[in-house]
């Protein structure tokens, strides 16, 4: 479902400025004409909208062999299947109101290579997303635009001359475009200069949040953040993409400069962090998700400054998805693993155990430099 023609999932491929920008995403919000927004659905509106969108994707696939999609009703997903899609940014987390659980969408259509996904009835009738590793907002937008153009051959989207595409949120109206990137800025965090990054974010009208909020515990786990646009009405899509890419490149240059200074001035501290992370991963039997993200972050620093070798940055980025709990739960359910007697009946501990094994296998060819 997620493999590209190189046999790798998109999140494990190489990319531009991968040392700082882990991944990029573009999202286009669209709504069908002659239907209310999902929050105002009546009768069978919800089912009709989903059927129309599913049918449109099936026609794209039938008429153009380069498009290959898989459609599913998300209300039929089991817990591990849903968690995997949430961890990869395809679906939003479930909304809980007391004892009631609300599914924030009704369906999703994904490309077979995993790069594109379209959530249905998720605030808007459909939101087309495209993911790539590294700094690639232009390519992500192009991926969304191609799907959007194909859908418009069979669907009429709600739009007006004054406002552009009409969306449930006023800030998404206009182009309907939202851009985001996951960034890794450990030098800025450890040196106390994160304000240099946040200043760029604010000046460019973006917002910044921890990339792993559920495990951040008051600080961004692994110094990973997500930056994203906040307004789709400022300029054309081309302008929005260019401005976002410019902001990201400024962040890349800032983080690289800070890291060079920090690695020179704090050599012992940096080397200790890298050596400690490698030692924990190599000798631990159990590793929590927070520990795994921090280990990956520290080894990414070691790779950037030449303290370690034998692993690619793209593999480290891919591990951020492979160590997630939903992915590991799926492996445990579908695989045949043998565990020590004292943890055989404890799902959480088994998850920590297999996470440690995955890291050890990924790091087995790492060699340490002069530490």
């Amino acid at each position: 479902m997620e493999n590209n023609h190189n046999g790798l999932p998109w999140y494990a491929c190489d990319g531009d400025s991968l040392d700082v920008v882990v991944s990029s995403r573009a999202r286009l919000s669209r709504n069908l004409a002659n239907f209310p927004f999902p929050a105002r659905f009546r009768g069978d509106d919800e089912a009709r909208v989903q059927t129309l969108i599913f049918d449109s994707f099936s026609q794209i696939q039938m008429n153009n062999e380069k498009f290959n999609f898989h459609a599913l009703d998300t209300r039929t997903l089991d817990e591990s299947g849903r968690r995997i899609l949430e961890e990869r940014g395809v679906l939003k987390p479930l909304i809980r109101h007391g004892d009631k659980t609300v599914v924030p969408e009704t369906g999703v259509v994904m490309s077979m290579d995993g790069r594109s996904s379209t959530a249905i009835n998720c605030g808007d009738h459909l939101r087309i997303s495209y993911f790539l590793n590294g700094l690639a907002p232009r390519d992500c937008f192009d991926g969304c635009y191609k799907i959007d153009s194909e859908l418009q051959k069979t669907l009429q989207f709600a739009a007006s001359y004054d406002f552009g595409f009409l969306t449930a949120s006023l800030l998404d109206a206009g182009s309907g475009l939202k851009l985001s990137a996951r960034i890794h800025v450990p030098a800025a965090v450890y040196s106390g200069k994160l304000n240099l990054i946040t200043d760029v974010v604010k000046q460019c009208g973006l917002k910044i949040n921890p990339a792993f909020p559920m495990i951040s515990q008051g600080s961004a786990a692994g110094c990973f953040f997500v930056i994203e646009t906040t307004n789709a009405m400022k300029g054309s899509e081309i302008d929005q993409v260019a401005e976002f890419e410019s902001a990201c490149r400024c962040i890349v240059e800032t983080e690289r400069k800070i890291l060079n200074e920090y690695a020179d001035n704090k050599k012992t501290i940096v080397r200790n962090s890298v050596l400690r992370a490698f030692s924990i991963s190599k000798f631990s039997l159990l590793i929590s998700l927070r520990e795994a993200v921090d280990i990956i972050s520290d080894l990414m620093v070691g790779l950037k400054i030449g303290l370690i070798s034998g692993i690619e940055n793209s593999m480290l980025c891919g591990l951020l998805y492979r160590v997630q709990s939903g992915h590991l739960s799926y492996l445990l359910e579908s695989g045949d693993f043998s565990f020590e007697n004292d943890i055989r009946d404890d799902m959480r501990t088994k998850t920590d155990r297999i996470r440690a094994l995955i890291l050890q296998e990924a790091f087995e060819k790492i060699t340490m430099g002069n530490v």
Side-chain angles (χ1 to χ4, degrees):
M1 183 179 72
E2 66 182 6
N3 287 354
N4 61 24
H5 40 264
N6 293 320
L8 293 173
W10 69 264
Y11 51 78
C13 295
D14 202 3
D16 181 23
S17 302
L18 200 58
D19 58 315
V20 178
V21 182
V22 176
S23 61
S24 301
R25 174 188 180 181
R27 192 199 76 188
L28 290 176
S29 296
R30 297 289 187 261
N31 290 277
L32 305 190
N34 303 318
F35 282 95
F37 293 132
R40 299 291 184 180
F41 276 160
R42 296 179 181 178
D44 62 351
D45 285 345
E46 181 179 271
R48 289 170 62 199
V49 166
Q50 178 155 305
T51 298
L52 286 170
I53 295 170
F54 277 1
D55 287 348
S56 184
F57 271 101
S58 67
Q59 290 184 57
I60 294 174
Q61 183 165 299
M62 187 166 42
N63 296 329
N64 194 329
E65 63 181 18
K66 73 177 181 180
F67 290 101
N68 200 352
F69 299 106
H70 174 65
L72 58 91
D73 190 315
T74 57
R75 293 164 295 190
T76 66
L77 283 171
D78 60 22
E79 183 179 356
S80 63
R82 181 171 186 93
R83 286 182 67 187
I84 289 174
L85 295 182
E86 289 177 3
E87 290 167 357
R88 296 180 187 177
V90 172
L91 301 179
K92 289 186 176 182
L94 295 172
I95 302 169
R96 305 190 188 278
H97 296 295
D99 295 333
K100 186 178 180 181
T101 300
V102 179
V103 180
E105 76 295 306
T106 64
V108 65
V109 181
M110 294 176 290
S111 63
M112 300 303 283
D113 62 9
R115 293 181 180 184
S116 76
S117 65
T118 300
I120 300 170
N121 293 329
C122 50
D124 294 297
H125 294 156
L126 65 158
R127 291 174 179 169
I128 308 163
S129 297
Y130 202 91
F131 305 85
L132 287 172
N133 248 19
L135 179 55
R138 294 174 186 271
D139 290 338
C140 287
F141 169 70
D142 287 345
C144 286
Y145 181 75
K146 289 175 182 177
I147 296 172
D148 177 52
S149 298
E150 290 293 324
L151 290 173
Q152 290 195 49
K153 295 177 181 178
T154 54
L155 296 174
Q156 182 180 354
F157 292 142
S160 76
Y161 181 81
D162 293 324
F163 293 100
F165 289 102
L166 303 181
T167 56
S169 170
L170 185 60
L171 292 176
D172 288 337
S175 68
L177 175 63
K178 175 171 279 188
L179 299 161
S180 62
R182 180 177 288 182
I183 61 172
H184 182 229
V185 288
V189 173
Y190 296 145
S191 66
K193 296 180 179 180
L194 185 60
N195 64 295
L196 297 180
I197 303 295
T198 57
D199 285 348
V200 173
V201 170
K202 292 177 182 177
Q203 290 169 9
C204 296
L206 308 175
K207 65 178 180 180
I208 183 169
N209 288 299
F212 303 102
M214 299 301 292
I215 60 168
S216 286
Q217 302 169 351
S219 61
C223 306
F224 292 99
F225 295 87
V226 171
I227 58 171
E228 59 185 357
T229 56
T230 59
N231 192 328
M233 297 187 72
K234 297 191 301 182
S236 68
E237 292 95 331
I238 295 175
D239 293 334
Q240 292 170 31
V241 171
E243 289 176 6
F244 183 76
E245 182 171 351
S246 177
C248 288
R249 293 204 179 279
C250 184
I251 290 171
V252 169
E253 293 173 4
T254 302
E255 168 65 15
R256 287 173 177 171
K257 181 179 179 181
I258 296 173
L259 179 60
N260 288 336
E261 297 173 352
Y262 186 70
D264 285 341
N265 297 331
K266 302 289 184 179
K267 290 182 179 179
T268 302
I269 293 174
V270 174
R271 292 181 178 184
N272 178 70
S273 295
V274 176
L275 182 59
R276 188 171 183 274
F278 181 66
S279 299
I280 291 173
S281 67
K282 186 174 182 179
F283 296 108
S284 293
L285 298 178
L286 306 171
I287 297 179
S288 70
L289 178 55
R290 172 68 195 239
E291 289 174 326
V293 172
D294 287 339
I295 287 169
I296 294 167
S297 171
D298 286 334
L299 292 184
M300 288 175 75
V301 172
L303 186 61
K304 292 176 189 179
I305 61 177
L307 286 180
I308 66 171
S309 59
I311 192 169
E312 298 293 330
N313 213 353
S314 55
M315 177 177 282
L316 290 170
C317 291
L319 281 171
L320 291 171
Y321 295 87
R322 292 178 59 206
V323 301
Q324 295 295 319
S325 298
H327 177 75
L328 299 182
S329 295
Y330 174 78
L331 291 181
L332 288 171
E333 291 172 5
S334 59
D336 184 18
F337 299 94
S338 296
F339 292 95
E340 294 82 351
N341 291 336
D342 59 328
I343 68 170
R344 186 174 296 163
D345 299 322
D346 187 335
M347 178 59 75
R348 180 175 179 179
T349 308
K350 287 195 296 185
T351 301
D352 289 348
R353 181 75 178 104
I354 197 170
R355 184 181 289 115
L357 292 172
I358 285 175
L359 290 181
Q360 287 159 9
E361 180 183 18
F363 298 161
E364 63 183 1
K365 293 183 179 180
I366 287 181
T367 57
M368 307 297 294
N370 182 21
V371 296

